[in-house]
């Protein structure tokens, strides 16, 4: 008896299956051969390829081409990998977020436009908000729809943001003019601009259409020698509007390179209200998605007030501050600035207190490539704390960051070998990680063990 649902004899389908298998082999090799980190994106793409192969083998043809039929098929038979995690519907324009997760463009854009700076699925803080088309998944969805006899709507027209009417355009510029008027008018205009730029991406885009728009927004703050003389609510609304503007990718360069923006954000980091300070840190984080902005912000001296705010430890600001410092320290010259400005001491104290350990360990691991940072880690007696985290934590990434820092310390500071050896002799912490950790953690742990064994052998030989 013939099997049902066998792979179609259609040469087009067979060619597509061969193409998917070839792509799957490539993705599996990428995942297996990656020594440092396995790629979440590669895993997702491999899952997508498997789902597409399954659909090719067991496809159920449908002659329906209407939108209602498409929705029915989405609900009944759409592969899970083709659904947007936010909308739960078939993706029309799949893109890859900085976290490696795939979403439908209009839905993730709406998430980002609302001011969110994390991946909805993993909660990972995003290093940037650029959206990369996922051509493989897009092609798989297109092929799946063809195999089902369905017509997919054009993604260019799907979820398109509405433009600004002439009345809205005129209202926008009238609000900017009010920012040079009396204090009540300034407060009213700043609050409305804050709300409009939060809710409407089109209003954020308007700031990029006029060279004077951002300087006009800053008028209430730049007109005073010190922001201490500015009304707190007015300052908060202007700074938050800057944050909203910065979310718009095409604005990032323009905002950062407007002469007064970075100095005013730095001053806002020291303002009276924690909301203003937190939003200033969030704006610096968002702007630092661009490498050119990382350098500009670092040269401006913004790391020092960020580190001071981190040191204060206010819960409302910690996440944004840590994210901003992490982003800025991706480039080498900012690592040196952060170390010089006291970041190592502040970070180690917070880690020892159990405050935002995940984020701060990631920053410390990054800074540990700087010689002075390694010296401070030793001076501040951080090694026992890092060993305890490796021993007790259930978070693989935290263990990995700790052992990476300890490996650098082991290479540069022989006085810490005793503590490492005692930890290993008492708990077997390092050898356990060398067996069970991530690939990077295994390498770092093995490197430490080898260094300790060589030291013992040299001592015995002597």
């Amino acid at each position: 008896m013939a099997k049902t649902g066998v792979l179609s004899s259609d040469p087009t389908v067979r060619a597509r299956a061969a193409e998917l298998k070839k792509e799957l082999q490539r993705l599996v090799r990428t995942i297996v051969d990656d020594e440092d980190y396995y790629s979440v994106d590669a895993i997702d793409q491999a899952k997508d390829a498997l789902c597409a192969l399954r659909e090719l083998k067991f496809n159920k043809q449908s002659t329906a081409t209407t939108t209602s039929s498409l929705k029915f098929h989405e609900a009944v038979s759409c592969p899970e990998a083709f659904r947007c995690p936010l909308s739960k519907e078939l993706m029309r324009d799949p893109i890859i977020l900085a976290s490696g997760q795939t979403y439908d463009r209009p839905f993730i854009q709406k998430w980002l436009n609302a001011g969110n700076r994390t991946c909805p699925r993993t909660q990972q803080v995003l290093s940037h908000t650029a959206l990369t088309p996922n051509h493989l998944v897009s092609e798989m969805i297109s092929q799946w729809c063809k195999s089902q006899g369905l017509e997919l709507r054009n993604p260019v027209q799907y979820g398109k943001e509405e433009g600004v009417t002439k009345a809205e355009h005129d209202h926008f510029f009238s609000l900017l003019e009010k920012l040079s008027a009396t204090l009540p008018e300034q407060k009213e205009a700043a609050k409305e601009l804050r709300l409009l730029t939060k809710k409407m991406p089109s209003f954020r885009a308007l700031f990029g259409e006029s060279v004077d728009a951002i300087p006009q927004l800053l008028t209430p703050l730049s007109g005073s020698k010190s922001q201490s003389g500015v009304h707190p609510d007015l300052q908060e609304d202007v700074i938050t509007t800057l944050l909203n503007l910065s979310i718009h990718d095409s604005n990032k360069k323009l905002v950062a390179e407007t002469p007064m923006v970075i100095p005013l954000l730095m001053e806002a980091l020291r303002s009276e209200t924690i909301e203003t300070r937190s939003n200033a840190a969030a704006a610096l984080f968002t702007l630092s998605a661009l490498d050119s902005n990382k350098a500009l912000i670092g040269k401006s001296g913004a790391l020092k007030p960020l580190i001071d705010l981190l040191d204060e430890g206010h819960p409302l600001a910690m996440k944004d501050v840590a994210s901003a410092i992490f982003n800025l320290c991706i480039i080498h010259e900012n690592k040196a600035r952060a170390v010089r400005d006291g970041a190592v001491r502040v970070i180690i104290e917070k880690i020892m207190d159990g405050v935002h350990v995940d984020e701060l360990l990631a920053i410390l691991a990054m800074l540990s490539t700087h010689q002075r940072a390694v010296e401070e880690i030793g001076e501040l007696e951080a090694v026992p704390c890092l060993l305890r985290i490796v021993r007790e934590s259930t978070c693989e990434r935290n263990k990995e960051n700790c052992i990476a820092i300890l490996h650098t310390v082991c290479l540069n500071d022989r006085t810490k070998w005793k503590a490492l050896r005692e930890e290993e002799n008492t708990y077997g912490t390092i050898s356990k990680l060398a067996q069970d950790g991530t690939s990077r953690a295994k390498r770092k742990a093995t490197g430490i063990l080898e260094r300790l064994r060589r030291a013992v052998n040299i001592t015995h030989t002597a």
Side-chain angles (χ1 to χ4, degrees):
M1 182 176 179
K3 292 181 182 178
T4 58
V6 296
L7 189 63
S8 169
S9 58
D10 184 342
T12 304
V13 176
R14 287 190 174 277
R16 179 59 183 156
E19 182 183 335
L20 284 169
K21 288 177 181 178
K22 186 176 179 180
E23 178 64 14
L24 187 59
Q25 287 176 329
R26 184 189 68 79
L27 289 167
V28 170
R29 282 197 302 271
T30 299
I31 295 165
V32 172
D33 294 343
D34 194 335
E35 293 184 359
D36 261 2
Y37 299 98
Y38 53 84
S39 169
V40 175
D41 183 30
I43 291 172
D44 284 345
Q45 290 182 28
K47 286 165 59 181
D48 294 339
L50 285 169
C51 289
L53 273 172
R54 187 179 187 281
E55 286 302 316
L56 282 175
K57 187 171 179 64
F58 298 101
N59 76 68
K60 298 175 181 179
Q61 290 293 340
S62 169
T63 56
T65 57
T66 63
T67 302
S68 60
S69 178
L70 176 59
K71 288 183 178 179
F72 171 79
H73 276 268
E74 286 177 21
V76 174
S77 60
C78 172
E80 195 62 31
F82 295 170
R83 296 181 190 273
C84 173
L86 293 175
S87 68
K88 308 301 181 187
E89 296 176 359
L90 182 68
M91 291 186 282
R92 270 74 170 182
D93 190 6
I95 58 84
I96 304 170
L97 201 57
S99 62
Q101 300 293 317
T102 297
Y103 297 91
D104 203 1
R105 183 184 296 274
F107 295 97
I108 193 62
Q109 190 66 65
K110 184 177 180 181
W111 168 268
L112 296 173
N113 289 345
N116 297 299
R117 294 178 300 285
T118 57
C119 172
R121 177 179 274 179
T122 67
Q123 299 306 308
Q124 176 184 338
V125 176
L126 300 175
S127 58
H128 60 80
T129 55
L131 305 179
T132 306
N134 193 329
H135 297 298
L136 177 63
V137 172
S138 182
E139 176 63 17
M140 288 177 177
I141 291 173
S142 176
Q143 290 294 331
W144 179 80
C145 287
K146 286 178 183 176
S147 74
Q148 301 296 311
L150 305 174
E151 184 178 349
L152 193 64
R153 282 183 287 170
N154 186 348
V156 175
Q157 298 173 347
Y158 182 70
K160 186 178 178 182
E161 295 172 357
E162 293 183 2
V164 179
T165 65
K166 185 178 185 305
E168 289 171 334
H169 188 275
D170 293 342
H171 181 55
F172 169 74
F173 283 101
S174 72
L175 290 173
L176 291 179
E177 288 176 7
K178 287 182 180 179
L179 291 171
S180 300
T182 62
L183 179 59
E185 288 178 297
Q186 286 181 336
K187 289 172 64 178
E188 180 187 350
K191 181 173 269 314
E192 188 167 355
L193 282 169
R194 173 180 178 171
L195 293 173
L196 287 171
T197 52
K198 178 181 179 180
K199 295 178 180 178
M200 299 178 65
S202 51
F203 268 82
R204 297 175 203 157
L206 277 175
F207 275 90
E209 295 176 8
S210 169
V211 293
D212 297 324
I214 296 175
Q216 282 183 277
L217 171 67
L218 303 177
T219 301
L221 307 186
S222 57
S224 173
K225 289 186 178 180
S226 170
Q227 289 186 35
S228 59
V230 179
H231 192 283
D233 291 344
L234 177 58
Q235 183 190 23
E236 182 183 334
D237 287 335
V238 171
I239 294 298
T240 308
T241 303
L242 271 180
L243 167 60
N244 295 341
L245 298 185
S246 305
I247 294 168
H248 199 80
D249 284 337
S250 59
N251 283 345
K252 293 186 192 302
K253 186 175 176 63
L254 174 66
V255 172
E257 293 181 356
T258 299
M260 287 303 298
V261 167
I262 305 301
L264 287 173
L265 287 174
M266 288 168 57
E267 199 166 340
L269 289 171
R270 300 185 176 99
S271 67
E272 294 179 17
T273 68
I274 193 60
E275 291 81 6
T276 300
R277 303 170 83 185
S278 178
N279 286 344
L284 289 170
F285 162 67
T286 307
L287 291 171
S288 64
L290 298 183
D291 283 348
S292 59
N293 286 355
K294 289 181 179 72
L296 179 63
I297 294 167
K299 287 177 184 176
S300 300
L303 276 160
K304 183 65 170 73
L306 282 168
I307 292 165
D308 290 343
L309 186 51
L310 184 71
D311 195 14
E312 288 183 33
H314 196 290
L316 187 63
M318 288 290 284
K319 195 91 172 179
D320 288 318
V321 174
S323 299
I325 294 172
F326 179 88
N327 243 17
L328 291 170
C329 289
I330 289 173
I331 63 172
H332 182 72
E333 54 265 38
N334 283 343
K335 292 179 188 177
R337 294 184 178 108
V339 172
R340 181 197 65 206
D341 291 335
V344 175
R345 177 192 61 79
V346 172
I347 289 170
I348 288 174
E349 287 178 357
K350 297 300 177 191
I351 290 172
M352 288 179 172
D353 291 339
V355 177
H356 285 277
V357 173
D358 299 9
E359 295 90 345
L360 297 182
L361 275 176
I363 300 172
L364 190 60
M366 192 182 298
L367 296 181
S368 67
T369 59
H370 190 278
Q371 180 60 38
R372 180 56 194 149
V374 178
E375 293 169 4
E376 284 192 60
I377 290 168
E379 292 165 4
L380 294 164
E381 299 296 330
V383 169
C385 174
L386 295 172
L387 287 168
R388 178 182 55 78
I389 293 172
V390 175
R391 185 170 68 247
E392 298 177 357
S393 176
T394 57
C395 176
E396 293 301 319
R397 182 51 55 88
N398 284 355
K399 291 182 180 182
E400 181 182 304
N401 282 327
C402 282
I403 205 69
I405 298 165
L406 290 166
H407 182 261
T408 307
V409 171
C410 182
L411 294 178
N412 292 275
D413 187 354
R414 299 177 121 199
T415 66
K416 303 305 173 190
W417 289 3
K418 181 181 177 182
L420 292 167
R421 191 178 294 112
E422 288 176 352
E423 176 75 21
E424 177 60 19
N425 291 339
T426 306
Y427 301 103
T429 302
I430 302 171
S431 56
K432 286 177 185 174
L433 195 60
Q435 290 180 337
D436 304 327
T438 64
S439 59
R440 181 168 177 249
K442 287 178 181 178
R443 283 205 324 276
K444 299 298 183 182
T446 301
I448 293 174
L449 291 172
E450 289 174 354
R451 179 59 64 105
L452 295 178
R453 288 189 195 109
R454 282 203 301 270
V456 171
N457 290 338
I458 291 170
T459 303
H460 287 169
T461 303

